[in-house]
Amino acid sequence: MSTAPTVEARAVCKRYGRHEAVRGVDLTLHPGECVALVGHNGAGKSSLIKLMLGLTHPTGGSLHVLGQDPAGPQAARIRRQVGFLPENVAFHPGMTGLECLDFYARLKGLPTAGNRDLLERVGLGREAAGKRIGTYSKGMRQRLGLSQALLGAPRLLFLDEPTTGLDPALRQSFYAIVRELRDGGATVLLCSHALTELEGQADRVVVMNRGRKVAEGCLATLRQLADLPVRLRVRPVDGTQAGTLCALYGIPAQDGPVVALSCSGADKLPLLRHLLESGIPLEDLEVVQPSLDDIYAHFLAREDAA
């Protein structure tokens, strides 16, 4: 597996007239990793992807994809090694799924022999492959879009809202494919508003806001940076001792047999140890870490307050 970065962006900017869509972004993507790019609409995610695809030129900074300028003389060669699934896929409704995939393979200069297997891989079997795209559901069109993005075993894969329209089982299949590609050495960049889905899937998360990169790291690193409270839900064996627990930790009495506590990440283990040594028998103890949704909201609020 190559160790050279697949994407290197240094102080990249993109302006459209007076609007600065991307502002001084530094980003490095490596082979064999899955990176989540998150941010609200207008945060600069799509503009950054267009730059990496070579569809637009930076107005400042430097950008290299697979070691080359993605909009330079080697653009065609680079794009043959890149897969892209846009947020809104649109295919000719009169084509069958297989005809459509063969068409995109020929555009990339690739053989069509393995396209039936590729459609099977994304959950479009022989019957679906022979149907007109105009009869496809949204989820089927999304799977067809994924299959065209996978043509040619790309070294770099951009997936924008890839699980839109997929049921839970197909989402699991999709992420299994992503893991397989990543483990095979590909770089996968995921853009999604479904942040909960990304937990456990992305090796690293990049948070964008107003064209800037405002945070970056694995989920554990982002939790540490955000320093949001950890929540504990404690259920004593004897429900009447919930009040004793509340008094022990100096919090107001709570309704029901479950006591909700919170602490900093650094105090989590001491609090757990104290609970277990308190002498109050516990029926259940649940530790709720800050979610990616919580972390994302924290960084955006911090930026808006700055």
Side-chain angles (χ1 to χ4, degrees):
M1 183 191 302
S2 172
T3 57
T6 49
V7 173
E8 286 186 287
R10 294 290 176 266
V12 167
C13 299
K14 179 61 183 177
R15 295 184 186 87
Y16 295 96
R18 301 175 70 177
H19 174 63
E20 203 167 17
V22 179
R23 299 192 289 159
V25 170
D26 292 327
L27 180 65
T28 303
L29 304 181
H30 301 280
E33 72 169 346
C34 176
V35 177
L37 184 64
V38 303
H40 58 267
N41 292 334
K45 306 187 304 297
S46 295
S47 295
L48 187 57
I49 288 176
K50 286 177 182 177
L51 289 167
M52 291 187 281
L53 286 169
L55 300 177
T56 59
H57 296 259
T59 49
S62 65
L63 176 63
H64 291 88
V65 174
L66 300 175
Q68 302 287 335
D69 177 358
Q74 298 296 318
R77 185 185 65 80
I78 292 171
R79 286 174 190 166
R80 281 195 290 271
Q81 302 176 76
V82 174
F84 175 47
L85 174 61
E87 180 176 0
N88 298 305
V89 293
F91 301 114
H92 195 292
M95 282 184 168
T96 68
L98 183 59
E99 288 170 344
C100 181
L101 195 58
D102 287 350
F103 170 75
Y104 279 97
R106 287 191 291 270
L107 280 180
K108 268 193 163 185
L110 299 170
T112 61
N115 284 354
R116 281 193 182 276
D117 292 337
L118 183 52
L119 288 171
E120 288 270 5
R121 186 181 180 192
V122 299
L124 293 174
R126 182 172 296 272
E127 183 179 351
K131 287 185 175 180
R132 303 293 175 192
I133 296 170
T135 68
Y136 277 17
S137 65
K138 181 175 177 57
M140 291 173 74
R141 291 195 300 274
Q142 197 73 4
R143 281 176 271 165
L144 179 60
L146 177 60
S147 70
Q148 69 79 25
L150 297 177
L151 282 166
R155 292 174 57 191
L156 176 60
L157 193 60
F158 298 110
L159 303 171
D160 195 358
E161 300 295 337
T163 59
T164 301
L166 301 185
D167 62 38
L170 286 171
R171 283 200 293 271
Q172 290 298 317
S173 298
F174 162 77
Y175 284 117
I177 292 171
V178 168
R179 289 191 294 271
E180 180 185 333
L181 291 165
R182 178 199 63 190
D183 294 346
T187 302
V188 182
L189 185 70
L190 281 170
C191 290
S192 179
H193 289 103
L195 301 188
T196 305
E197 273 188 20
L198 299 175
E199 296 187 33
Q201 307 297 343
D203 303 301
R204 189 155 47 103
V205 179
V206 176
V207 182
M208 298 273 299
N209 186 39
R210 297 178 182 174
R212 296 177 57 246
K213 183 181 76 174
V214 298
E216 178 181 6
C218 67
L219 195 53
T221 298
L222 293 180
R223 282 187 176 128
Q224 187 175 9
L225 290 172
D227 195 25
L228 294 173
V230 176
R231 298 186 297 276
L232 284 75
R233 292 171 53 82
V234 186
R235 180 190 289 269
V237 171
D238 180 355
T240 62
Q241 290 191 300
T244 305
L245 273 175
C246 290
L248 180 64
Y249 291 103
I251 60 175
Q254 302 174 19
D255 293 332
V258 177
V259 176
L261 302 173
S262 66
C263 65
S264 68
D267 291 335
K268 178 181 64 177
L269 288 178
L271 178 56
L272 287 170
R273 189 178 301 113
H274 189 267
L275 275 167
L276 295 174
E277 294 173 352
S278 67
I280 299 174
L282 303 180
E283 179 180 317
D284 192 24
L285 174 61
E286 181 184 5
V287 179
V288 183
Q289 295 273 25
S291 68
L292 186 52
D293 277 302
D294 298 328
I295 294 167
Y296 171 68
H298 165 81
F299 284 118
L300 259 61
R302 187 187 70 179
E303 285 294 305
D304 289 342

